[in-house]
Amino acid sequence: MTDPVKKEDELAGTEQPFVQHLFELRDRLLKAMYGVVAILAGLLFYPGPSKLYDFLAMPLVKALPEGSKMIAVGVVSPFLVPIKVSVLAAIGLSLPWILYQIWAFVAPGLYKHEKKLVLPLVAASTILFYTGAAFCYFFVFGQAFPAIQKMAPMSVAVSPDIEAYLDFVITMFIAFGVAFEVPIVVVILARMGIVTIAQLKSFRTYFVVGAAAVSGLVTPPDPVSMVALLVPMYLLYEVGILAAQLFIKHTQAPDDAAEAKV
């Protein structure tokens, strides 16, 4: 009895010399950088660094006492801080282009079932990060800053420094953006076989406790902000469990899928 014919390797003939990989990586990095520079040039022209910072500071400025303004402690802070905001905004807006360049570099080395897993995860992680940052800016800041101002003693003149505010905002955006990546982490852990779907469901209570601790550490000291992060994290955990079930089913390797049907 003859052995069955083995399926041809999808990646056969696609190997490239190491030096060629380095050239490809260089080209992709340059393209990513060109994208950032192009968006930065556009932002510097319109709306401009000052208006970008005004937009970023709007939630705090609205919560300040009437007649109060933010201050600049450093000599060059009024110039450098808005430029920093423009650079960070350019990187954030060009994130899909940067991730596409990374995807284009690694995609030739992936099997079809791996591409079905990686591409949706890259797209979903980008959208979730943007959603987390937007949720923080439009909802959390609007609730947290007025509450913080009410806690300030009457003897204290509230005039936040523009650079300290920028550092705070960046930290919060990263915290909420990363927190909203919970479904991606859940899917990856389940797809790699580190945990099972049954274990993820049984870990709900522990996740809520951990999420509450994280929310208390990264959010401003008011209960609204803490709950505003805790609730989405739990809901996204549940979404991650459902997504993991779908990904495990539709991204199996051909051999694994054949064995599962037996």
Side-chain angles (χ1 to χ4, degrees):
M1 183 176 179
T2 59
D3 295 334
V5 179
K6 293 184 179 179
K7 185 178 179 180
E8 185 179 355
D9 193 331
E10 297 172 12
L11 303 182
T14 63
E15 298 83 0
Q16 296 180 356
F18 178 72
V19 175
Q20 192 169 347
H21 281 294
L22 291 180
F23 286 138
E24 174 71 11
L25 178 60
R26 181 203 59 185
D27 292 341
R28 293 297 175 184
L29 291 176
L30 286 175
K31 289 179 180 179
M33 185 181 67
Y34 294 155
V36 175
V37 172
I39 293 179
L40 176 60
L43 292 176
L44 292 177
F45 177 75
Y46 181 83
S50 296
K51 289 187 178 179
L52 275 177
Y53 189 88
D54 289 341
F55 176 76
L56 188 67
M58 190 185 304
L60 177 60
V61 172
K62 286 183 177 180
L64 291 176
E66 187 176 354
S68 298
K69 290 185 177 181
M70 302 178 68
I71 62 172
V73 176
V75 176
V76 295
S77 292
F79 170 75
L80 287 182
V81 173
I83 295 296
K84 288 181 181 179
V85 172
S86 300
V87 173
L88 292 172
I91 295 174
L93 292 175
S94 61
L95 186 60
W97 173 249
I98 296 172
L99 293 176
Y100 170 76
Q101 296 303 323
I102 297 174
W103 165 253
F105 177 71
V106 302
L110 299 177
Y111 291 101
K112 289 182 179 179
H113 67 279
E114 292 173 334
K115 293 180 181 179
K116 290 181 181 179
L117 173 66
V118 175
L119 184 57
L121 289 182
V122 170
S125 62
T126 304
I127 294 172
L128 287 171
F129 189 89
Y130 281 151
T131 303
F135 179 77
C136 178
Y137 177 85
F138 290 104
F139 179 76
V140 176
F141 285 172
Q143 302 297 321
F145 290 150
I148 293 173
Q149 300 308 315
K150 291 178 182 178
M151 298 177 187
M154 296 296 294
S155 58
V156 175
V158 181
S159 299
D161 173 53
I162 61 173
E163 191 164 6
Y165 175 74
L166 176 60
D167 294 339
F168 171 79
V169 168
I170 293 173
T171 301
M172 290 295 292
F173 280 176
I174 293 175
F176 273 79
V178 172
F180 271 56
E181 300 290 339
V182 168
I184 306 300
V185 176
V186 171
V187 168
I188 292 175
L189 291 176
R191 183 63 186 85
M192 293 178 64
I194 297 176
V195 294
T196 64
I197 300 298
Q199 289 174 327
L200 289 171
K201 292 179 179 179
S202 66
F203 289 160
R204 283 190 178 103
T205 303
Y206 301 103
F207 178 81
V208 171
V209 173
V214 171
S215 300
L217 289 174
V218 302
T219 58
D222 67 284
V224 176
S225 300
M226 178 178 174
V227 174
L229 181 58
L230 174 60
V231 172
M233 286 182 69
Y234 173 72
L235 294 177
L236 289 169
Y237 183 78
E238 295 293 341
V239 171
I241 293 176
L242 296 176
Q245 294 174 326
L246 294 175
F247 270 85
I248 290 174
K249 179 180 179 181
H250 295 288
T251 62
Q252 287 180 318
D255 294 342
D256 295 338
E259 292 177 1
K261 292 180 181 179
V262 178

